[in-house]
Amino acid sequence: MQLPKRSTNLFEDSYKHKGMRRALVKVIHAKGITDESVLHAMNTVPRHVFLDNAFLEHAYQDKAFQIGEGQTISQPFTVAFQTQLLQVQPGDKILEIGTGSGYQCCVLLELGAKVYTIEYNWILYQRVQKTLHKLGKTAHTFHGDGSKGLPKHAPYDAIIVTAGAPTVPLALIEQLRPGGRLVIPVGDRKSQNMLLIHKQADGSFMKETFNNFSFVPLLGDHGWQNS
Ligand code: SAM
């Protein structure tokens, strides 16, 4: 008789990981993140899977960390802040610009969103396919210049940009449905303000501005030049 095949975990999520994650969520809550669904998603997604094994101790600290190719996984507080601004509802169609490690994408998936995510860097784009597979997650992943958005699949309920832009690319506002939200850091190469832009039913938009953040630059046609 053939025994049923044992399912194999493709990643480890131990009590230690879970404990460190709970502690991290307490930190971001104390820093002002109040949306319970966002806190729950961040308590669920195993951030250590998005970093090299050697960096486990860094995975649950509230800081950005290098992921290779000169890029970073964003600071957990920043991920939570941007996600909270997006006001994700289950079933929302969301475009993420700057897939990076795939962590933000998985937080959005955990909230029940359908995620379209685009990455400029070929190596990171390829790597994220493996990470999503490891986690058993499905997103629509693309390689290319997200500063132009992804018009083929528009309109979106929300767009999140996870790299710092010099200005707001108008193409992104055009690709939002009426009532949609765009969250984008805009400023110089070193520091940016987070903008929340609501597209109104008549096509006009309202803007709110928050604090100072520091992202790697958005490259491409509507971003910074490659240098
Ligand atoms: N959201 C990511 C995560 O959860 O790991 C963090 C993103 S990292 C701060 C910024 C990413 O934006 C980098 O991976 C970078 O290659 C990417 N990027 C920069 N310019 C881009 C563009 N024009 N289109 C798409 N991705 C871009």
Side-chain angles (χ1 to χ4, degrees), residues 187-192 213-217 224:
D188 59 31
R189 275 174 169 271
K190 289 217 167 105
S191 82
Q192 305 89 29
F213 290 84
S214 184
F215 283 81
V216 292
W224 299 94

Side-chain angles (χ1 to χ4, degrees), residues 15 38-39 47-48 71 87 104 125 135 137 140 182 216 222:
Y15 284 116
V38 173
L39 293 169
R47 190 169 185 261
H48 62 278
Q71 303 301 331
Q87 299 157 38
Q104 172 76 70
Y125 164 75
L135 289 158
K137 297 287 179 192
H140 305 274
L182 167 63
V216 292
H222 300 289

